[in-house]
Amino acid sequence: PFWRARGRYERLEKLLLQARVAAESMKDANSAIATLLNLGQLAGNQGNQQQQLEYLQAGLLQAENLVNEELIAKALGSLGVMAVSQGDYRRAEAYFRRCLDLSRALKHTVFINNTLLVLGVVAEKRGDFAQAERYLREVEARIREANIPQFLSMILVNLGTTALAQADYEAAEARF
């Protein structure tokens, strides 16, 4: 994160490639996959979508071969974010739905909540407001139950945005 914030992409890439080689030489598959996913994010930050896709797909394939569901979910989430950035909401939704299924199987609360939120945004972008509302309502209930007010405000803003997109100004005002 520090290197990304400073725009030192070349240095960060060099360090990540070294970390990948080290992880592979130590037969640490989890770390090797994590470096691939980080390299994918870095390539995306630099606007190199082809390289981003290659790294993320390689990370996904290796995570699937290792049967590491948490890393599979992370790779799918990253691929979903990439698809959103390209405006390919159907492909993004497919990645995020698979990520959500894995996250539920893992009972990984943070992954579940984040994925539900993103799925709500993606459904809203596709114009499927009913589905967006279902995802956002589910994550709202989960957040209220967990009593996480800072995350709740983000959900309510997204519910308000969905209501605005449908010209339901009364509902939007209630959520904002």
Side-chain angles (χ1 to χ4, degrees):
F2 169 77
W3 291 103
R4 271 186 238 150
R6 305 281 293 187
R8 302 283 311 268
Y9 296 121
E10 291 172 3
R11 176 76 176 133
L12 178 56
E13 183 177 18
K14 185 177 180 179
L15 291 171
L16 285 171
L17 289 169
Q18 289 172 350
R20 181 178 170 206
V21 169
E24 288 172 352
S25 71
M26 294 186 303
K27 307 244 186 281
D28 182 354
N30 291 328
S31 294
I33 295 165
T35 58
L36 282 170
L37 299 180
N38 283 318
L39 283 162
Q41 288 181 337
L42 181 63
N45 289 347
Q46 295 176 84
N48 188 341
Q49 292 183 346
Q50 183 58 41
Q51 186 68 54
Q52 179 184 22
L53 182 61
E54 289 171 13
Y55 280 130
L56 294 178
Q57 286 179 333
L60 175 60
L61 180 62
Q62 288 184 26
E64 288 172 333
N65 289 337
L66 194 62
V67 193
N68 183 320
E69 292 177 332
E70 185 169 333
L71 286 172
I72 294 169
K74 285 181 181 181
L76 290 167
S78 294
L79 285 161
V81 169
M82 182 181 178
V84 166
S85 74
Q86 296 171 336
D88 189 345
Y89 301 119
R90 293 225 181 266
R91 187 168 48 106
E93 186 172 25
Y95 285 130
F96 288 129
R97 281 187 184 203
R98 188 167 166 220
C99 179
L100 180 61
D101 291 343
L102 285 170
S103 300
R104 288 187 196 278
L106 293 167
K107 296 181 168 77
H108 197 301
T109 301
V110 172
F111 282 12
I112 295 168
N113 292 343
N114 288 340
T115 305
L116 284 167
L117 173 60
V118 173
L119 277 165
V121 172
V122 168
E124 190 264 329
K125 296 259 185 215
R126 286 191 311 97
D128 188 347
F129 302 114
Q131 184 63 54
E133 182 120 1
R134 283 190 291 275
Y135 286 132
L136 294 170
R137 287 286 180 199
E138 181 180 348
V139 73
E140 176 190 18
R142 294 175 58 84
I143 295 306
R144 285 187 188 279
E145 184 178 314
N147 192 26
I148 309 171
Q150 65 275 19
F151 200 59
L152 180 60
S153 63
M154 187 182 339
I155 303 304
L156 293 173
V157 166
N158 280 283
L159 282 164
T161 302
T162 301
L164 277 177
Q166 299 172 83
D168 187 347
Y169 304 114
E170 189 174 312
E173 185 176 342
R175 291 167 181 163
F176 289 129

